[in-house]
Amino acid sequence: MSGAAPERPTTVFFVVGDESGDQLGAALMRGLVAGSDRAFRFAGVGGDRMEAEGLTSLFPLHDIAVMGATAVIAKLPTILRRMRETVDAVLAEKPDILVIIDSPDFTHRVAKKVRKRRPDLPIVDYVSPSVWAWRPGRARKMKAYVDHLLAILPFEPDVHERLGGPVTTYVGHPLIERLDKLRPTADERPPLASASAPVLLVLPGSRRGELDRMLDIFGQAVELIVARFGKRLEVVIPAVPRLAETLRERTAKWPVAPQVVVGEEAKFAAFRRAHAALAASGTVTLELGLAHVPMVVAYVLDGIYRQINRLRRLFPNIAQVDTMVLTNIIIGAKAIPELLDLEVTPEALAERVLPLLGETPERSAQLAAFSRLDDAMTLEGGESPSARAARVVLAELDRAGR
């Protein structure tokens, strides 16, 4: 006697474009399994973390995970081919829902093509493009191919409502789930008054192009800081493995030879010890804010993006914010000093970092701002970001009757 046919699993097709998307995707996969009694099948494009959760990626993530206009142009034929393959795979798989994660230059193009050919397929976008910073008209356009947007910054639902974007839910930033990695224990970050050598983090970026633009300027700034500080200073540079040796070679002659630490665990351990930071703009500035490390933020643009930035200055109505630091945007105040492009000089950086190495009003103001950041980022009820994101995806499946 044969039993009943097993229930067809719910198929979720993921499309991510970089390593940070892979982290979000893996956490969401775990959240879906934990948050429902459904049987799931996962398909699509992901990295090592998503593959560990049961997804077999269509192709290696490094085929499309490129950053910077020059790198994108060089790899454009491969990117366009992978885009076509991804769209074809979505149509062939006939999934119950499509989840695109970050990397909008790739994932949104896939979603738009899928929507034209499968208008009935629910599409969820995890991580909003920065419509609050650049090209706000994208929000309204997204509504045509995104059914629900999962925002990781607390102000984004209001932004999308104002700009006519898709339905948006703040699900929390993934860093909220890792505060124990970022926050020091009682003995990890001694008070400045009792620290024999305060710890200065130097974070010039995790990509080769950023390193080429930022490292030498940061090194010259460190030289000025050491000369003027008047006591011993410990300098630490967290590095991704592929750049660690380059960093060691290029910083060997700094006035204080920095300790280059490799990998995420070592990076967060350094955050827990640090008293101040000199950082290139990026997600790392939010990590520093949540770790309560006072910082100075800087960024030097490459040639193409310098022209784009000039365009923004000529037409300020197309730019929505006047700061590149996420902590500043979230709390609505320029609490973190920042320097962009031609403003970035060793003298200017040193002048702003030095007050952060003492018990000064500048340091106190940043620490107060971090408390406001904590309040803004916290989810009600203690729910984790991955659990809340999974809850929204499950609701979209129910809404579509799948």
Side-chain angles (χ1 to χ4, degrees):
M1 180 172 139
S2 62
E7 183 179 349
R8 184 182 73 86
T10 298
T11 299
V12 183
F13 198 105
F14 286 95
V15 182
V16 310
D18 59 19
E19 293 297 328
S20 62
D22 181 46
Q23 292 184 39
L24 286 172
L28 177 54
M29 291 165 74
R30 291 191 295 270
L32 288 169
V33 172
S36 172
D37 56 4
R38 293 172 180 254
F40 283 99
R41 176 176 170 270
F42 300 119
V45 180
D48 293 342
R49 293 175 179 85
M50 294 178 72
E51 292 199 326
E53 299 298 329
L55 178 144
T56 299
S57 184
L58 291 173
F59 48 80
L61 199 54
H62 61 70
D63 277 4
I64 57 173
V66 294
M67 182 71 176
T70 304
V72 170
I73 291 169
K75 216 167 186 182
L76 191 57
T78 298
I79 294 171
L80 292 175
R81 174 168 54 87
R82 292 309 196 188
M83 194 179 296
R84 291 191 297 269
E85 292 171 357
T86 303
V87 173
D88 290 344
V90 176
L91 299 174
E93 288 282 357
K94 296 183 171 62
D96 295 288
I97 195 166
L98 170 63
V99 178
I100 61 174
I101 304 180
D102 210 357
S103 302
D105 288 339
F106 185 88
T107 63
H108 284 227
R109 284 176 169 82
V110 169
K112 283 188 277 190
K113 292 177 184 295
V114 169
R115 176 52 52 95
K116 285 182 180 178
R117 297 170 68 177
R118 277 286 311 276
D120 61 312
L121 180 65
I123 300 177
V124 172
D125 181 17
Y126 197 170
V127 183
S128 173
S130 52
V131 297
W132 36 267
W134 180 244
R135 292 168 52 205
R138 288 178 294 173
R140 187 176 296 277
K141 292 177 181 177
M142 286 170 58
K143 195 171 184 178
Y145 58 89
V146 171
D147 298 297
H148 207 124
L149 176 63
L150 310 181
I152 65 172
L153 298 174
F155 58 84
E156 290 176 325
D158 288 342
V159 169
H160 278 276
E161 183 176 10
R162 174 170 55 82
L163 295 176
V167 174
T168 304
T169 300
Y170 173 57
V171 298
H173 199 284
L175 288 172
I176 294 174
E177 296 185 72
R178 314 185 77 184
L179 289 180
D180 60 325
K181 301 279 189 182
L182 291 164
R183 301 279 173 84
T185 58
D187 58 349
E188 284 185 299
R189 185 187 297 160
L192 278 171
S194 60
S196 59
V199 176
L200 174 66
L201 286 182
V202 176
L203 299 139
S206 59
R207 297 180 177 90
R208 176 76 62 171
E210 290 175 327
L211 210 64
D212 290 341
R213 295 193 300 275
M214 306 301 300
L215 186 62
D216 289 345
I217 296 174
F218 280 8
Q220 293 165 31
V222 168
E223 185 172 3
L224 293 174
I225 292 165
V226 170
R228 298 175 188 177
F229 184 48
K231 60 185 291 189
R232 197 161 67 88
L233 187 69
E234 183 179 350
V235 180
V236 180
I237 303 182
V240 294
R242 68 180 182 279
L243 294 177
E245 193 54 40
T246 297
L247 278 164
R248 291 188 181 101
E249 291 173 359
R250 292 181 57 179
T251 61
K253 295 183 179 180
W254 283 17
V256 174
Q259 179 187 3
V260 177
V261 298
V262 182
E264 188 174 74
E265 289 299 318
K267 179 182 86 169
F268 287 155
F271 277 38
R272 295 194 299 271
R273 296 177 55 232
H275 294 91
L278 175 57
S281 177
T283 303
V284 72
T285 63
L286 184 57
E287 293 175 336
L288 290 167
L290 291 171
H292 295 185
V293 180
M295 73 192 95
V296 173
V297 178
Y299 204 74
V300 176
L301 301 168
D302 71 12
I304 292 176
Y305 284 113
R306 182 171 292 121
Q307 296 305 316
I308 292 172
N309 188 59
R310 287 174 180 165
L311 181 67
R312 293 175 67 174
R313 291 173 186 271
L314 288 172
F315 301 100
N317 59 307
I318 63 176
Q320 301 293 294
V321 295
D322 60 353
T323 174
M324 61 182 168
V325 181
L326 285 173
T327 295
N328 287 345
I329 297 170
I330 292 167
I331 67 172
K334 286 192 172 182
I336 311 302
E338 55 186 301
L339 298 168
L340 178 63
D341 211 26
L342 300 180
E343 300 170 338
V344 182
T345 66
E347 180 70 36
L349 295 173
E351 181 182 322
R352 288 161 178 80
V353 169
L354 279 165
L356 304 181
L357 295 170
E359 298 295 355
T360 62
E362 292 89 344
R363 181 179 180 83
S364 297
Q366 287 205 34
L367 293 175
F370 298 150
S371 294
R372 291 153 59 196
L373 176 68
D374 290 346
D375 292 341
M377 298 289 286
T378 301
L379 288 173
E380 295 178 5
E383 191 174 23
S384 70
S386 56
R388 179 167 290 191
R391 185 154 55 85
V392 175
V393 172
L394 290 167
E396 284 298 313
L397 284 164
D398 290 341
R399 186 184 63 79
R402 295 173 180 271

